[in-house]
Amino acid sequence: MADRLPNGNQSMAWSDDSFAATEFLFADYRDFVFPLHVHETFAIGVIEAGGQHFQPGRSPSLIMPEGTLCTIDPGVVHEGRPATERGWRYRMFYPSPALVAGALEEPRRLASSGEWCIGQHVIHDQELYREFVGLHISSQRKETLLERQTRIAVFLRRLFARHGNFLPEARRARAAPRTASLVRDYLHANAESQVSIADLAQAAGVSGTQVIRAFSAGTGMPPHSYLVSLRVERAKALLRSGRGLAEAALDVGFSDQSQFTRHFKRLTGVTPGRFAAETSSAR
């Protein structure tokens, strides 16, 4: 059963160890607001009721309506809020790029010459919608390992065959402004360290002022907020693997557990303790 949050919001998360502890989420949000954040994984789901107002970085906002499949590529800065009076009820899962590559049987291509992406956030495809609901419920009910793995693999192959694109490395590099791309790469490589503006400026070969301006313009999020979101994402993976709260907080770069808890709850809607209790493979 989903846990009830303030103001009638409900959510339930779990980890499916058959997919390298991939996170699944079922939630019914009446007035919850996700601030700007980013995932290192894909975010794929369906809107079962209501609608979500979705803002991807600097791009125009849009509505994810009831009955649609919704997708977010890794690294896309975004925020979400209710689009209707009743809010929105949805099911999500967060497969890593490696899991997607494995399902598509092209891990070497993914690692060496580019990456798969979807590039659209709202997809009207009723067959895939039904397949997603089926795979999500099979994981929630802990159906057999074979069923869960088969449903995931079949869905991902069909999703990317119908709606995906392979973005070569050279084209991806041209699409991202150089300074923003260099800063993003530095943050991902050094997320656990105490990063300064001077570090980012040196990595990008520009001034500190240019770092802030270029990164914010390119992603829709200032560097410090991006770093906090990145640390929360990595902490979630550690908590799913059974790591303790204090250890996870320090491992991803937070100075103390109270800071960790504050940012984790702000970005996810739940405390890290509750998230660990629901999703940890060590339960």
Side-chain angles (χ1 to χ4, degrees):
M1 179 179 294
D3 292 323
R4 187 169 294 279
L5 303 174
N7 302 321
N9 299 307
Q10 300 179 66
S11 72
M12 175 173 60
W14 66 91
S15 178
D16 196 322
D17 295 331
S18 60
F19 312 110
T22 298
E23 181 187 347
F24 285 72
L25 172 70
F26 170 76
D28 192 344
Y29 293 132
R30 299 307 170 111
D31 60 1
F32 186 73
V33 174
F34 283 105
L36 284 170
H37 63 287
V38 66
H39 303 292
E40 291 186 287
T41 64
F42 289 90
I44 303 172
V46 295
I47 306 294
E48 292 189 316
Q52 181 186 14
H53 181 97
F54 179 78
Q55 177 75 50
R58 295 290 188 182
S59 301
S61 63
L62 54 88
I63 303 297
M64 293 176 165
E66 180 177 327
T68 59
L69 193 70
C70 40
T71 64
I72 307 169
D73 290 323
V76 174
V77 172
H78 59 284
E79 62 181 3
R81 64 186 68 239
T84 67
E85 287 188 6
R86 68 93 50 221
W88 81 100
R89 187 179 75 238
Y90 70 152
R91 296 178 177 272
M92 298 291 296
F93 91 122
Y94 302 88
S96 67
L99 193 159
V100 169
L104 302 179
E105 300 178 336
E106 295 193 9
R108 269 187 253 173
R109 182 183 183 191
L110 178 72
S112 63
S113 59
E115 63 183 19
W116 280 101
C117 66
I118 300 175
Q120 53 185 315
H121 300 301
V122 178
I123 297 173
H124 298 270
D125 188 322
Q126 287 304 301
E127 183 180 20
L128 284 178
Y129 179 100
R130 291 190 295 270
E131 285 187 9
F132 182 88
V133 172
L135 75 83
H136 205 271
I137 291 175
S138 74
S139 176
Q140 188 175 1
R141 292 176 175 172
K142 299 295 183 186
E143 301 291 0
T144 67
L145 175 64
L146 181 60
E147 177 180 343
R148 282 149 45 213
Q149 291 181 330
T150 300
R151 285 181 179 272
I152 285 282
V154 169
F155 171 81
L156 287 176
R157 283 198 290 269
R158 289 180 177 168
L159 172 65
F160 280 86
R162 294 182 185 182
H163 305 287
N165 294 288
F166 187 77
L167 193 60
E169 187 69 34
R171 181 179 158 201
R172 184 164 65 95
R174 289 196 301 270
R178 180 179 179 277
T179 297
S181 180
L182 290 172
V183 171
R184 183 182 62 238
D185 289 346
Y186 186 92
L187 290 175
H188 279 262
N190 299 276
E192 296 81 11
S193 304
Q194 295 305 311
V195 179
S196 69
I197 287 292
D199 295 329
L200 300 179
Q202 182 176 7
V206 298
S207 70
T209 300
Q210 288 174 301
V211 163
I212 298 172
R213 183 186 302 123
F215 190 83
S216 300
T219 67
M221 196 175 193
H224 68 277
S225 297
Y226 189 97
L227 179 60
V228 167
S229 179
L230 191 58
R231 287 174 172 172
V232 168
E233 282 295 296
R234 295 186 177 182
K236 289 166 70 176
L238 293 178
L239 295 176
R240 289 196 300 269
S241 71
R243 195 73 59 89
L245 300 185
E247 189 178 4
L250 293 176
D251 284 351
V252 300
F254 287 105
S255 59
D256 56 55
Q257 195 169 335
S258 63
Q259 181 190 63
F260 171 48
T261 299
R262 183 174 72 255
H263 287 301
F264 194 101
K265 186 174 182 181
R266 179 176 62 86
L267 289 171
T268 69
V270 299
T271 64
R274 187 186 136 204
F275 180 87
E278 290 181 337
T279 67
S280 173
S281 60
R283 283 178 301 167

